[in-house]
Amino acid sequence: MTLRFCPHCGGSLLPATPRAPERACAACGTVFSITAVFNKAEQGAGGQATDRGRGHRWIGAAVVVGVLLAGLVLAVLPGLLDRSQQSAPVVHPRERAEASALYEAAGKFSRIDVYSRRNEAQGDAYLVQVTDIHSGALLAEPQTWRINRQDNRAYLRNFSDGQLYLQLEKKMVLRFDPGANAFVDLTPQLLARHPDQLGGGIARIEFGFRDRPDSFKITTADGTVYHAYWLAGQLLPEVGISDSDEQRAAQATGLSEHWLYAELEGSHSIENRRYQLIRYWQRADPGQPQYLGYFSLYTQHSKDVERSPAWYRQVAPTLWVSCHVHEKGVQRVELIAPATPRFNAQVLAHNASHLLLVYSPTPTSSEGRVVQLLDKQSQQVVWSREVAQVPLMASDRGGTYLTAQGLPSGFFVQSSPLEPGFLMDNQGNVLHSFQ
């Protein structure tokens, strides 16, 4: 088992050497023994000791008794040896399921499940367990955090670095350490990075909205709100952040590529909103914070464009966006064929090579909802089904709350965030069902 992140602050670890088997944290400087860390982890993240120590004493006692009573040795010792060789049982708690995700590395998959428990005597708690998707065996001791539930729940999200992050209520954010199969609290590292702004304490922390990828939204004890771009290592105050977005876009020399179902102008009611799948390019430099807001597309015959042409900018031969969107960085737009408007459309998830799309062909979203896999390079649909044709997708309310997570080799799909879900590859084949 390999530990990649510091269990104290979440920073990267310096490699061990034959002369120095201990590991040192590059961020906080803490030096510790790997053996000591895992011995501590085996006691459970919630601070409750396991029964392993007592188990070893039982075996010792059995051996002593066996020396005195040979008959008892023959009856008891084989059973004890057989029991000691069994793998740790997987915990299947009756608590409320909150969130699930998969982690893929080198073609191997592990499943992360988050549960919540309400207990007036012991207090509310969240339990996280990591299992092998094929055997169901625990890959590490379950972790427990005692946090009073306030109906904000738990959320799992991948950042663009490929790592998996966890939000508990609006109290903690953690990063998954695949070497230890455990989550590490990022609060100490955030405080170390930004002591002047966050030194007074963090009152609330949560994932940023989807338009601000790779970020956390933080409210300090004095009520100041910041957007912490974790991978960029920058903390931006919410006051004036729109101006900051425009300034970064104006100074950027590079372009980043993105995919979106953009709303077409003239859509007034929610039921009749039409969307067009596009690929677009936005001014951005690598390693810098990004703002990826949703925006509308306008045609040259739009009444809005004809009435106030100075308020719009052309981004394709027949398409315009508002000046505000252009100033935020959107430079060029490409329509993805077929250029047919869709209703209630969404890019559910994506990975390096494919998009997982869902839409309704008519304004009635409950009728004939369609899910598709699109190859990014060829821009061809490689798999398409009505949701009703895929029972695993339609198991909860016909797939109305369908969710998905992009993985290097496919997608983890759930008919709702609380359903077991299944793993599919980039061609639409079901590789593993958790039902």
Side-chain angles (χ1 to χ4, degrees), residues 6-29:
C6 173
H8 174 65
C9 76
S12 300
L13 300 180
L14 299 176
T17 65
R19 294 185 179 181
E22 294 83 6
R23 301 291 292 276
C25 176
C28 67

Short mmCIF file of all heavy atoms in Angstrom, two decimals, residues 6-29:
data_model
loop_
_atom_site.label_atom_id
_atom_site.label_comp_id
_atom_site.label_asym_id
_atom_site.label_seq_id
_atom_site.Cartn_x
_atom_site.Cartn_y
_atom_site.Cartn_z
N CYS A 6 0.01 13.69 2.38
CA CYS A 6 0.24 13.83 3.81
C CYS A 6 -1.06 13.68 4.59
O CYS A 6 -2.04 14.37 4.29
CB CYS A 6 0.86 15.20 4.09
SG CYS A 6 1.03 15.58 5.85
N PRO A 7 -1.12 12.79 5.60
CA PRO A 7 -2.35 12.63 6.37
C PRO A 7 -2.61 13.80 7.31
O PRO A 7 -3.67 13.91 7.89
CB PRO A 7 -2.10 11.33 7.16
CG PRO A 7 -0.62 11.26 7.30
CD PRO A 7 -0.06 11.85 6.01
N HIS A 8 -1.63 14.70 7.45
CA HIS A 8 -1.81 15.86 8.33
C HIS A 8 -2.43 17.04 7.60
O HIS A 8 -3.42 17.61 8.04
CB HIS A 8 -0.48 16.27 8.93
CG HIS A 8 -0.54 17.54 9.74
ND1 HIS A 8 -1.27 17.65 10.90
CD2 HIS A 8 0.01 18.77 9.52
CE1 HIS A 8 -1.15 18.89 11.37
NE2 HIS A 8 -0.39 19.58 10.55
N CYS A 9 -1.85 17.38 6.42
CA CYS A 9 -2.33 18.57 5.70
C CYS A 9 -2.81 18.28 4.29
O CYS A 9 -3.36 19.15 3.63
CB CYS A 9 -1.25 19.64 5.65
SG CYS A 9 0.07 19.29 4.46
N GLY A 10 -2.58 17.06 3.75
CA GLY A 10 -3.01 16.73 2.40
C GLY A 10 -2.01 17.06 1.32
O GLY A 10 -2.25 16.86 0.15
N GLY A 11 -0.81 17.55 1.70
CA GLY A 11 0.21 17.91 0.72
C GLY A 11 0.90 16.70 0.13
O GLY A 11 0.78 15.56 0.62
N SER A 12 1.70 16.92 -0.93
CA SER A 12 2.45 15.84 -1.58
C SER A 12 3.61 15.42 -0.69
O SER A 12 4.23 16.23 0.01
CB SER A 12 2.96 16.30 -2.95
OG SER A 12 1.90 16.67 -3.77
N LEU A 13 3.95 14.11 -0.75
CA LEU A 13 5.01 13.56 0.08
C LEU A 13 6.32 13.46 -0.67
O LEU A 13 6.36 13.15 -1.87
CB LEU A 13 4.62 12.16 0.59
CG LEU A 13 3.34 12.11 1.44
CD1 LEU A 13 3.08 10.68 1.87
CD2 LEU A 13 3.46 13.00 2.66
N LEU A 14 7.44 13.73 0.04
CA LEU A 14 8.76 13.51 -0.53
C LEU A 14 9.07 12.03 -0.46
O LEU A 14 8.68 11.34 0.48
CB LEU A 14 9.80 14.31 0.26
CG LEU A 14 9.61 15.84 0.26
CD1 LEU A 14 10.66 16.50 1.16
CD2 LEU A 14 9.71 16.38 -1.15
N PRO A 15 9.77 11.46 -1.46
CA PRO A 15 10.03 10.02 -1.48
C PRO A 15 10.95 9.58 -0.34
O PRO A 15 11.83 10.33 0.09
CB PRO A 15 10.69 9.80 -2.85
CG PRO A 15 11.29 11.12 -3.18
CD PRO A 15 10.37 12.15 -2.62
N ALA A 16 10.72 8.36 0.13
CA ALA A 16 11.59 7.78 1.14
C ALA A 16 12.87 7.25 0.50
O ALA A 16 12.92 6.97 -0.69
CB ALA A 16 10.87 6.65 1.88
N THR A 17 13.94 7.14 1.28
CA THR A 17 15.21 6.59 0.80
C THR A 17 15.64 5.48 1.75
O THR A 17 15.15 5.39 2.88
CB THR A 17 16.30 7.68 0.76
OG1 THR A 17 16.56 8.13 2.11
CG2 THR A 17 15.83 8.87 -0.09
N PRO A 18 16.60 4.59 1.33
CA PRO A 18 17.04 3.52 2.23
C PRO A 18 17.57 4.05 3.56
O PRO A 18 17.39 3.43 4.59
CB PRO A 18 18.13 2.83 1.40
CG PRO A 18 17.75 3.11 -0.02
CD PRO A 18 17.18 4.49 -0.01
N ARG A 19 18.23 5.24 3.53
CA ARG A 19 18.76 5.80 4.77
C ARG A 19 17.69 6.53 5.57
O ARG A 19 17.85 6.75 6.77
CB ARG A 19 19.90 6.77 4.44
CG ARG A 19 21.12 6.08 3.84
CD ARG A 19 22.26 7.07 3.66
NE ARG A 19 23.45 6.42 3.12
CZ ARG A 19 24.61 7.05 2.88
NH1 ARG A 19 24.71 8.34 3.16
NH2 ARG A 19 25.63 6.39 2.39
N ALA A 20 16.65 6.95 4.88
CA ALA A 20 15.56 7.69 5.55
C ALA A 20 14.23 7.09 5.15
O ALA A 20 13.56 7.58 4.25
CB ALA A 20 15.63 9.16 5.19
N PRO A 21 13.83 5.98 5.77
CA PRO A 21 12.57 5.31 5.39
C PRO A 21 11.33 6.12 5.75
O PRO A 21 10.25 5.83 5.27
CB PRO A 21 12.62 4.00 6.19
CG PRO A 21 13.50 4.31 7.36
CD PRO A 21 14.53 5.28 6.85
N GLU A 22 11.49 7.13 6.61
CA GLU A 22 10.33 7.96 6.91
C GLU A 22 9.99 8.82 5.70
O GLU A 22 10.80 9.04 4.82
CB GLU A 22 10.60 8.84 8.14
CG GLU A 22 10.78 8.08 9.44
CD GLU A 22 12.18 7.56 9.62
OE1 GLU A 22 13.04 7.90 8.78
OE2 GLU A 22 12.42 6.83 10.58
N ARG A 23 8.75 9.34 5.68
CA ARG A 23 8.30 10.22 4.61
C ARG A 23 8.14 11.63 5.17
O ARG A 23 7.69 11.80 6.31
CB ARG A 23 6.98 9.75 4.01
CG ARG A 23 7.02 8.35 3.43
CD ARG A 23 7.87 8.28 2.17
NE ARG A 23 7.29 9.01 1.06
CZ ARG A 23 6.36 8.49 0.26
NH1 ARG A 23 5.93 7.26 0.44
NH2 ARG A 23 5.88 9.19 -0.75
N ALA A 24 8.47 12.64 4.36
CA ALA A 24 8.33 14.03 4.76
C ALA A 24 7.34 14.73 3.85
O ALA A 24 7.29 14.46 2.64
CB ALA A 24 9.68 14.74 4.72
N CYS A 25 6.53 15.63 4.43
CA CYS A 25 5.56 16.37 3.64
C CYS A 25 6.21 17.62 3.06
O CYS A 25 6.86 18.39 3.78
CB CYS A 25 4.36 16.77 4.52
SG CYS A 25 3.16 17.80 3.64
N ALA A 26 6.02 17.83 1.75
CA ALA A 26 6.61 18.99 1.09
C ALA A 26 5.92 20.29 1.49
O ALA A 26 6.48 21.37 1.33
CB ALA A 26 6.53 18.81 -0.43
N ALA A 27 4.69 20.19 2.01
CA ALA A 27 3.92 21.39 2.33
C ALA A 27 4.14 21.85 3.78
O ALA A 27 4.49 23.00 4.02
CB ALA A 27 2.44 21.15 2.07
N CYS A 28 3.91 20.92 4.73
CA CYS A 28 3.99 21.32 6.14
C CYS A 28 5.25 20.86 6.84
O CYS A 28 5.51 21.24 7.97
CB CYS A 28 2.75 20.82 6.90
SG CYS A 28 2.67 19.02 7.05
N GLY A 29 6.04 19.97 6.19
CA GLY A 29 7.30 19.53 6.77
C GLY A 29 7.19 18.40 7.77
O GLY A 29 8.20 17.97 8.34
#
